[in-house]
Amino acid sequence: MTEPYRVVALPGEGIGPEVVDASLKVLLHLAKLEGFSVVIDYGLIGQPAFNEFGKFFPDPTAQLCEGADGILFGAVTRGGILELRQHFDFFINFRPVRPFETLLDKSSLQPHKIQGADILFVRELVSGIYFGPSGRTEDDNGY
């Protein structure tokens, strides 16, 4: 048997723990079906990390993620994701769109318009609000 894959789960907060839990169930089921093994380590990010370490992306979490085969990120409401992206040079986000046939009638879009759609949105995350200056500014007229 091959070496197990090491995945670090960072549930975060809000809906994050629920999403990570469901994702891990899928991953572990897939591992069983395909005959590979996975070791899951858990780390703190976001408000839970801040509560324990005083930082949204603390050094113990970064060290835990170093060398992992994958990082499963849930969600955060305040901080941690930008630090995670900067630390590991994550610069892109993939957003696939493929409607399920059984859910076509539940969409707010007309079913015949989205049936068979297969779209991949690619977002770069290296500028603007992600890593550039943030906040609102005013011009000379107060706008």
Side-chain angles (χ1 to χ4, degrees), residues 27-39:
L27 176 62
L28 293 173
H29 184 71
L30 181 64
K32 184 178 177 182
L33 289 176
E34 295 297 323
F36 63 91
S37 59
V38 180
V39 173

mmCIF file with all atom_site columns, all heavy atoms in Angstrom, residues 27-39:
data_model
loop_
_atom_site.group_PDB
_atom_site.id
_atom_site.type_symbol
_atom_site.label_atom_id
_atom_site.label_alt_id
_atom_site.label_comp_id
_atom_site.label_asym_id
_atom_site.label_entity_id
_atom_site.label_seq_id
_atom_site.pdbx_PDB_ins_code
_atom_site.Cartn_x
_atom_site.Cartn_y
_atom_site.Cartn_z
_atom_site.occupancy
_atom_site.B_iso_or_equiv
_atom_site.pdbx_formal_charge
_atom_site.auth_seq_id
_atom_site.auth_comp_id
_atom_site.auth_asym_id
_atom_site.auth_atom_id
_atom_site.pdbx_PDB_model_num
ATOM 1   N N   . LEU A 1 27 ? -14.391 12.648 0.975  1.00 0.00 ? 27 LEU A N   1
ATOM 2   C CA  . LEU A 1 27 ? -13.002 12.264 0.727  1.00 0.00 ? 27 LEU A CA  1
ATOM 3   C C   . LEU A 1 27 ? -12.697 10.871 1.279  1.00 0.00 ? 27 LEU A C   1
ATOM 4   O O   . LEU A 1 27 ? -12.093 10.040 0.595  1.00 0.00 ? 27 LEU A O   1
ATOM 5   C CB  . LEU A 1 27 ? -12.051 13.296 1.346  1.00 0.00 ? 27 LEU A CB  1
ATOM 6   C CG  . LEU A 1 27 ? -10.558 12.973 1.250  1.00 0.00 ? 27 LEU A CG  1
ATOM 7   C CD1 . LEU A 1 27 ? -10.108 12.890 -0.203 1.00 0.00 ? 27 LEU A CD1 1
ATOM 8   C CD2 . LEU A 1 27 ? -9.749  14.005 2.015  1.00 0.00 ? 27 LEU A CD2 1
ATOM 9   N N   . LEU A 1 28 ? -13.119 10.596 2.502  1.00 0.00 ? 28 LEU A N   1
ATOM 10  C CA  . LEU A 1 28 ? -12.847 9.291  3.100  1.00 0.00 ? 28 LEU A CA  1
ATOM 11  C C   . LEU A 1 28 ? -13.592 8.172  2.384  1.00 0.00 ? 28 LEU A C   1
ATOM 12  O O   . LEU A 1 28 ? -13.071 7.063  2.233  1.00 0.00 ? 28 LEU A O   1
ATOM 13  C CB  . LEU A 1 28 ? -13.174 9.320  4.591  1.00 0.00 ? 28 LEU A CB  1
ATOM 14  C CG  . LEU A 1 28 ? -12.254 10.236 5.423  1.00 0.00 ? 28 LEU A CG  1
ATOM 15  C CD1 . LEU A 1 28 ? -12.751 10.346 6.853  1.00 0.00 ? 28 LEU A CD1 1
ATOM 16  C CD2 . LEU A 1 28 ? -10.817 9.766  5.365  1.00 0.00 ? 28 LEU A CD2 1
ATOM 17  N N   . HIS A 1 29 ? -14.796 8.450  1.913  1.00 0.00 ? 29 HIS A N   1
ATOM 18  C CA  . HIS A 1 29 ? -15.535 7.447  1.133  1.00 0.00 ? 29 HIS A CA  1
ATOM 19  C C   . HIS A 1 29 ? -14.827 7.181  -0.198 1.00 0.00 ? 29 HIS A C   1
ATOM 20  O O   . HIS A 1 29 ? -14.686 6.028  -0.622 1.00 0.00 ? 29 HIS A O   1
ATOM 21  C CB  . HIS A 1 29 ? -16.976 7.917  0.907  1.00 0.00 ? 29 HIS A CB  1
ATOM 22  C CG  . HIS A 1 29 ? -17.818 6.911  0.198  1.00 0.00 ? 29 HIS A CG  1
ATOM 23  N ND1 . HIS A 1 29 ? -18.235 5.737  0.785  1.00 0.00 ? 29 HIS A ND1 1
ATOM 24  C CD2 . HIS A 1 29 ? -18.301 6.892  -1.078 1.00 0.00 ? 29 HIS A CD2 1
ATOM 25  C CE1 . HIS A 1 29 ? -18.941 5.034  -0.089 1.00 0.00 ? 29 HIS A CE1 1
ATOM 26  N NE2 . HIS A 1 29 ? -18.992 5.718  -1.223 1.00 0.00 ? 29 HIS A NE2 1
ATOM 27  N N   . LEU A 1 30 ? -14.379 8.240  -0.844 1.00 0.00 ? 30 LEU A N   1
ATOM 28  C CA  . LEU A 1 30 ? -13.642 8.093  -2.100 1.00 0.00 ? 30 LEU A CA  1
ATOM 29  C C   . LEU A 1 30 ? -12.351 7.303  -1.881 1.00 0.00 ? 30 LEU A C   1
ATOM 30  O O   . LEU A 1 30 ? -11.998 6.437  -2.688 1.00 0.00 ? 30 LEU A O   1
ATOM 31  C CB  . LEU A 1 30 ? -13.329 9.464  -2.689 1.00 0.00 ? 30 LEU A CB  1
ATOM 32  C CG  . LEU A 1 30 ? -12.581 9.482  -4.007 1.00 0.00 ? 30 LEU A CG  1
ATOM 33  C CD1 . LEU A 1 30 ? -13.417 8.834  -5.106 1.00 0.00 ? 30 LEU A CD1 1
ATOM 34  C CD2 . LEU A 1 30 ? -12.218 10.899 -4.392 1.00 0.00 ? 30 LEU A CD2 1
ATOM 35  N N   . ALA A 1 31 ? -11.657 7.577  -0.776 1.00 0.00 ? 31 ALA A N   1
ATOM 36  C CA  . ALA A 1 31 ? -10.429 6.848  -0.461 1.00 0.00 ? 31 ALA A CA  1
ATOM 37  C C   . ALA A 1 31 ? -10.719 5.352  -0.320 1.00 0.00 ? 31 ALA A C   1
ATOM 38  O O   . ALA A 1 31 ? -9.960  4.512  -0.807 1.00 0.00 ? 31 ALA A O   1
ATOM 39  C CB  . ALA A 1 31 ? -9.803  7.402  0.822  1.00 0.00 ? 31 ALA A CB  1
ATOM 40  N N   . LYS A 1 32 ? -11.823 5.041  0.342  1.00 0.00 ? 32 LYS A N   1
ATOM 41  C CA  . LYS A 1 32 ? -12.206 3.634  0.514  1.00 0.00 ? 32 LYS A CA  1
ATOM 42  C C   . LYS A 1 32 ? -12.513 2.985  -0.835 1.00 0.00 ? 32 LYS A C   1
ATOM 43  O O   . LYS A 1 32 ? -12.066 1.872  -1.116 1.00 0.00 ? 32 LYS A O   1
ATOM 44  C CB  . LYS A 1 32 ? -13.419 3.553  1.439  1.00 0.00 ? 32 LYS A CB  1
ATOM 45  C CG  . LYS A 1 32 ? -13.857 2.158  1.769  1.00 0.00 ? 32 LYS A CG  1
ATOM 46  C CD  . LYS A 1 32 ? -15.033 2.175  2.724  1.00 0.00 ? 32 LYS A CD  1
ATOM 47  C CE  . LYS A 1 32 ? -15.529 0.779  3.014  1.00 0.00 ? 32 LYS A CE  1
ATOM 48  N NZ  . LYS A 1 32 ? -16.703 0.783  3.895  1.00 0.00 ? 32 LYS A NZ  1
ATOM 49  N N   . LEU A 1 33 ? -13.263 3.692  -1.680 1.00 0.00 ? 33 LEU A N   1
ATOM 50  C CA  . LEU A 1 33 ? -13.621 3.153  -2.991 1.00 0.00 ? 33 LEU A CA  1
ATOM 51  C C   . LEU A 1 33 ? -12.407 2.960  -3.892 1.00 0.00 ? 33 LEU A C   1
ATOM 52  O O   . LEU A 1 33 ? -12.322 1.982  -4.638 1.00 0.00 ? 33 LEU A O   1
ATOM 53  C CB  . LEU A 1 33 ? -14.618 4.079  -3.693 1.00 0.00 ? 33 LEU A CB  1
ATOM 54  C CG  . LEU A 1 33 ? -16.032 4.143  -3.142 1.00 0.00 ? 33 LEU A CG  1
ATOM 55  C CD1 . LEU A 1 33 ? -16.839 5.193  -3.902 1.00 0.00 ? 33 LEU A CD1 1
ATOM 56  C CD2 . LEU A 1 33 ? -16.718 2.788  -3.237 1.00 0.00 ? 33 LEU A CD2 1
ATOM 57  N N   . GLU A 1 34 ? -11.479 3.902  -3.841 1.00 0.00 ? 34 GLU A N   1
ATOM 58  C CA  . GLU A 1 34 ? -10.342 3.884  -4.763 1.00 0.00 ? 34 GLU A CA  1
ATOM 59  C C   . GLU A 1 34 ? -9.087  3.235  -4.178 1.00 0.00 ? 34 GLU A C   1
ATOM 60  O O   . GLU A 1 34 ? -8.067  3.131  -4.851 1.00 0.00 ? 34 GLU A O   1
ATOM 61  C CB  . GLU A 1 34 ? -10.019 5.315  -5.223 1.00 0.00 ? 34 GLU A CB  1
ATOM 62  C CG  . GLU A 1 34 ? -11.130 5.945  -6.041 1.00 0.00 ? 34 GLU A CG  1
ATOM 63  C CD  . GLU A 1 34 ? -11.389 5.203  -7.345 1.00 0.00 ? 34 GLU A CD  1
ATOM 64  O OE1 . GLU A 1 34 ? -10.414 4.717  -7.977 1.00 0.00 ? 34 GLU A OE1 1
ATOM 65  O OE2 . GLU A 1 34 ? -12.562 5.096  -7.746 1.00 0.00 ? 34 GLU A OE2 1
ATOM 66  N N   . GLY A 1 35 ? -9.137  2.851  -2.897 1.00 0.00 ? 35 GLY A N   1
ATOM 67  C CA  . GLY A 1 35 ? -8.033  2.111  -2.314 1.00 0.00 ? 35 GLY A CA  1
ATOM 68  C C   . GLY A 1 35 ? -6.827  2.931  -1.887 1.00 0.00 ? 35 GLY A C   1
ATOM 69  O O   . GLY A 1 35 ? -5.699  2.445  -1.957 1.00 0.00 ? 35 GLY A O   1
ATOM 70  N N   . PHE A 1 36 ? -7.033  4.147  -1.483 1.00 0.00 ? 36 PHE A N   1
ATOM 71  C CA  . PHE A 1 36 ? -5.928  4.924  -0.928 1.00 0.00 ? 36 PHE A CA  1
ATOM 72  C C   . PHE A 1 36 ? -6.304  5.345  0.490  1.00 0.00 ? 36 PHE A C   1
ATOM 73  O O   . PHE A 1 36 ? -7.446  5.238  0.905  1.00 0.00 ? 36 PHE A O   1
ATOM 74  C CB  . PHE A 1 36 ? -5.559  6.129  -1.798 1.00 0.00 ? 36 PHE A CB  1
ATOM 75  C CG  . PHE A 1 36 ? -6.624  7.177  -1.956 1.00 0.00 ? 36 PHE A CG  1
ATOM 76  C CD1 . PHE A 1 36 ? -6.703  8.246  -1.071 1.00 0.00 ? 36 PHE A CD1 1
ATOM 77  C CD2 . PHE A 1 36 ? -7.539  7.114  -3.005 1.00 0.00 ? 36 PHE A CD2 1
ATOM 78  C CE1 . PHE A 1 36 ? -7.668  9.230  -1.225 1.00 0.00 ? 36 PHE A CE1 1
ATOM 79  C CE2 . PHE A 1 36 ? -8.507  8.091  -3.168 1.00 0.00 ? 36 PHE A CE2 1
ATOM 80  C CZ  . PHE A 1 36 ? -8.578  9.153  -2.272 1.00 0.00 ? 36 PHE A CZ  1
ATOM 81  N N   . SER A 1 37 ? -5.323  5.787  1.246  1.00 0.00 ? 37 SER A N   1
ATOM 82  C CA  . SER A 1 37 ? -5.596  6.184  2.625  1.00 0.00 ? 37 SER A CA  1
ATOM 83  C C   . SER A 1 37 ? -5.275  7.659  2.836  1.00 0.00 ? 37 SER A C   1
ATOM 84  O O   . SER A 1 37 ? -4.444  8.238  2.130  1.00 0.00 ? 37 SER A O   1
ATOM 85  C CB  . SER A 1 37 ? -4.807  5.317  3.614  1.00 0.00 ? 37 SER A CB  1
ATOM 86  O OG  . SER A 1 37 ? -3.432  5.428  3.379  1.00 0.00 ? 37 SER A OG  1
ATOM 87  N N   . VAL A 1 38 ? -5.965  8.218  3.822  1.00 0.00 ? 38 VAL A N   1
ATOM 88  C CA  . VAL A 1 38 ? -5.839  9.642  4.124  1.00 0.00 ? 38 VAL A CA  1
ATOM 89  C C   . VAL A 1 38 ? -5.675  9.799  5.627  1.00 0.00 ? 38 VAL A C   1
ATOM 90  O O   . VAL A 1 38 ? -6.400  9.174  6.402  1.00 0.00 ? 38 VAL A O   1
ATOM 91  C CB  . VAL A 1 38 ? -7.099  10.422 3.663  1.00 0.00 ? 38 VAL A CB  1
ATOM 92  C CG1 . VAL A 1 38 ? -6.968  11.900 3.981  1.00 0.00 ? 38 VAL A CG1 1
ATOM 93  C CG2 . VAL A 1 38 ? -7.363  10.215 2.188  1.00 0.00 ? 38 VAL A CG2 1
ATOM 94  N N   . VAL A 1 39 ? -4.736  10.644 6.004  1.00 0.00 ? 39 VAL A N   1
ATOM 95  C CA  . VAL A 1 39 ? -4.571  11.031 7.399  1.00 0.00 ? 39 VAL A CA  1
ATOM 96  C C   . VAL A 1 39 ? -5.029  12.484 7.495  1.00 0.00 ? 39 VAL A C   1
ATOM 97  O O   . VAL A 1 39 ? -4.577  13.336 6.725  1.00 0.00 ? 39 VAL A O   1
ATOM 98  C CB  . VAL A 1 39 ? -3.097  10.906 7.850  1.00 0.00 ? 39 VAL A CB  1
ATOM 99  C CG1 . VAL A 1 39 ? -2.909  11.479 9.239  1.00 0.00 ? 39 VAL A CG1 1
ATOM 100 C CG2 . VAL A 1 39 ? -2.654  9.464  7.790  1.00 0.00 ? 39 VAL A CG2 1
#
